[in-house]
Amino acid sequence: MVKVSLFLAAVLMQSVAVAAVSPSYQFKILADNLNYPWALAFLPDGDMLLTERSGALKRLTAEGSVRFTIRPELPELLLVSQAGLQDVMLTPDFDQSAKIILSYACGTLDANNTCLASAVLTDNGLTNITRIFQAQPLKSGAAHFGGRIAFLPDNSLILTLGDGFDYREQAQNPANHLGKTVRLNSDGTVPQDNPFVGQTGYAAAIYSLGHRNVQGIFYDAPTQTLYSHEHGPRGGDELNIITPGTNYGWPVATNGIDYTGARVSPFTTFTGMQQAIWGWTPSIAPAGMTLYRGTLFPAWQGNIFVAALAAKNVHRLEIDNQKVISEQVMFTELKQRIRDIRTGPDGALYLLTDSVAGQLIKVTPAS
């Protein structure tokens, strides 16, 4: 294990205090040579499930050794550029059903979107793989799939979706799923209390709209708050609190500009559209996210940790009454793109680095 100390970072965007000095920590590499690892889930017996964007699902022990590696036969799995296998989550009734949910890009390069599949986990792999949802409409290209999953207390699930990159105006079109989050039952059906059920011109699965590419989501049970973050273009990355039926503005209101340097919109705010509670300009390219409720780092209780790809670090946000009051840039010494960050049942933080030789890294207090 390599012991490291934390570095404080000045907050450039917003006038909040820099976070106080935090506990020292140490890294332990549990697994390496992972092919673009994307997500991590913890099993009741202490094992972990890990997805690779390249289509592989691994089951690891708590120490990181591999029990199995499989390439599940997901219906119409698309593997190109940003497209591939994405999130993995246990269903709330996993102890009885052994079911998991996988998100992935599906279709062809000319006709694709984001899909969900359910499957039963066995000692050796998966059985009963069934596609339960496909976002509509099908579009071309291999970017902005969203793909993160969170379960709500009523056992419904939220799936985050992207705008397909070339279809950003569709994020404001309530008739489809592009640039939306959707709420589904665990079998893929639509809950009848969704905010737009029965409204003409609205896709019934929509939970929120006006998003660009949401790749981080976390439901915090103690505060009953659903947090998400999304990629802006050049600038305009956002942290949001998601509430049903709310419009988050993309591309009508944004703090980012296009990759060409042109303005996406003249508006940074717009009537009837919800503003972010925090943002990053320049972009950090936020990926996974966790809200820490573990026991190993008491000073971090209730803090949000955001993995960053382009920035090659993790941003710790101190939250008070659903507002960000301080920010600290962490784990810069890794000098790696961070794809995901999770709180383990043991109270440790777990990181996935984003590369063809990615790593699973465990973060614990320095001994």
Side-chain angles (χ1 to χ4, degrees):
M1 298 185 187
V2 180
K3 296 181 181 179
V4 294
S5 60
L6 294 176
F7 298 93
L8 296 178
V11 177
L12 299 178
M13 273 193 56
Q14 293 154 300
S15 57
V16 296
V18 174
V21 174
S22 299
S24 59
Y25 53 79
Q26 58 191 359
F27 296 133
K28 181 179 181 180
I29 298 173
L30 298 183
D32 55 14
N33 294 316
L34 304 170
N35 192 350
Y36 291 102
W38 215 89
L40 189 69
F42 299 94
L43 296 169
D45 65 0
D47 282 3
M48 297 172 282
L49 295 177
L50 183 149
T51 61
E52 295 177 337
R53 194 180 68 209
S54 56
L57 175 71
K58 296 179 182 291
R59 181 168 181 162
L60 309 176
T61 68
E63 293 74 35
S65 60
V66 179
R67 292 197 190 275
F68 67 68
T69 300
I70 62 169
R71 299 184 70 85
E73 296 182 3
L74 296 167
E76 298 186 277
L77 173 64
L78 176 64
L79 299 174
V80 59
S81 187
Q82 295 178 15
L85 179 57
Q86 298 172 310
D87 213 352
V88 56
M89 290 283 286
L90 312 187
T91 60
D93 66 349
F94 177 83
D95 288 341
Q96 293 75 43
S97 69
K99 281 189 176 182
I100 66 171
I101 303 291
L102 296 164
S103 66
Y104 63 102
C106 58
T108 67
L109 189 57
D110 294 325
N112 62 70
N113 215 312
T114 305
C115 280
L116 285 180
S118 65
V120 174
L121 180 68
T122 69
D123 290 339
N124 302 311
L126 300 179
T127 62
N128 299 334
I129 299 173
T130 305
R131 186 169 70 185
I132 60 173
F133 176 79
Q134 182 180 44
Q136 297 294 329
L138 301 185
K139 44 76 181 177
S140 63
H144 291 196
F145 291 91
R148 291 290 181 185
I149 305 167
F151 276 95
L152 299 180
D154 62 1
N155 296 338
S156 64
L157 68 86
I158 302 294
L159 171 66
T160 73
L161 299 169
D163 64 356
F165 189 77
D166 289 326
Y167 305 85
R168 64 191 186 195
E169 292 79 9
Q170 293 300 310
Q172 291 296 323
N173 182 351
N176 65 45
H177 300 136
L178 294 174
K180 315 299 192 301
T181 70
V182 295
R183 176 172 171 256
L184 306 165
N185 296 313
S186 58
D187 62 358
T189 58
V190 175
Q192 290 306 296
D193 60 346
N194 266 6
F196 300 116
V197 167
Q199 292 192 35
T200 302
Y202 284 78
I206 292 175
Y207 193 69
S208 63
L209 64 159
H211 301 289
R212 185 170 182 268
N213 190 26
V214 182
Q215 289 198 326
I217 193 161
F218 189 92
Y219 180 77
D220 182 46
T223 61
Q224 300 180 7
T225 307
L226 182 64
Y227 292 96
S228 81
H229 62 60
E230 63 187 83
H231 292 260
R234 289 175 58 186
D237 297 344
E238 295 181 357
L239 176 69
N240 289 297
I241 293 175
I242 303 299
T243 54
T246 302
N247 188 329
Y248 291 85
W250 177 257
V252 175
T254 176
N255 285 304
I257 60 174
D258 215 336
Y259 296 109
T260 64
R263 286 197 303 180
V264 174
S265 169
F267 304 107
T268 57
T269 64
F270 201 82
T271 302
M273 297 181 179
Q274 182 65 42
Q275 286 187 266
I277 67 166
W278 193 249
W280 295 274
T281 298
S283 293
I284 64 170
M289 175 171 63
T290 190
L291 192 150
Y292 188 76
R293 294 291 182 189
T295 56
L296 292 184
F297 296 101
W300 293 346
Q301 268 295 314
N303 291 183
I304 290 176
F305 289 80
V306 175
L309 296 165
K312 297 184 178 180
N313 54 35
V314 169
H315 289 243
R316 180 174 71 87
L317 305 176
E318 187 179 356
I319 305 295
D320 183 31
N321 195 28
Q322 298 185 336
K323 295 181 179 179
V324 178
I325 61 172
S326 69
E327 179 178 33
Q328 182 179 21
V329 178
M330 303 179 62
F331 308 152
T332 55
E333 61 273 30
L334 291 173
K335 298 180 180 179
Q336 297 190 69
R337 290 163 56 90
I338 311 297
R339 169 60 69 181
D340 200 11
I341 183 166
R342 304 280 173 132
T343 306
D346 57 357
L349 289 173
Y350 290 77
L351 311 176
L352 292 178
T353 66
D354 180 65
S355 78
V356 70
Q359 297 176 325
L360 168 60
I361 301 172
K362 184 176 181 178
V363 186
T364 56
S367 57

